[in-house]
Amino acid sequence: MMFPLARNALLSLKVQSIQQMIATQSHQKHSLDFHDKYGNAVLASRVTFCFVAWVFVITQLGLEWNLSPVRRVTPKEWREK
């Protein structure tokens, strides 16, 4: 069993080394990763691509949307039998 004075000294050394390690890590600059550098640009390019793709689909593929049947529906002639 260790003497209380030696044990407290060792414990305080461990605590001080941990505190120094935390202090040096907090003062280091955070290096930018891929998402920090290019995240917004990638998001903007994907949104732009999807928007352009939908504009192309809506305008160029000749889809008939039939939004309103007014003046599009012509009644058939009624015939008696």
Side-chain angles (χ1 to χ4, degrees):
M1 199 158 145
M2 292 180 116
F3 294 111
L5 185 61
R7 188 177 67 208
N8 287 341
L10 243 158
L11 184 62
S12 70
L13 282 175
K14 285 182 184 178
V15 169
Q16 284 177 356
S17 66
I18 291 172
Q19 287 173 345
Q20 285 175 351
M21 186 175 59
I22 291 173
T24 57
Q25 285 178 351
S26 68
H27 291 306
Q28 290 176 350
K29 284 204 167 203
H30 172 67
S31 62
L32 298 176
D33 62 352
F34 179 82
H35 297 287
D36 291 333
K37 287 182 182 178
Y38 306 110
N40 290 336
V42 169
L43 179 64
S45 64
R46 289 180 179 182
V47 167
T48 303
F49 175 79
C50 288
F51 178 75
V52 169
W54 276 110
V55 167
F56 175 78
V57 166
I58 289 170
T59 59
Q60 298 298 317
L61 290 185
L63 296 174
E64 290 253 350
W65 296 98
N66 293 327
L67 296 176
S68 172
V70 175
R71 291 189 220 147
R72 291 181 187 255
V73 177
T74 55
K76 292 181 180 177
E77 294 214 14
W78 185 71
R79 290 187 278 172
E80 284 190 42
K81 289 189 177 189

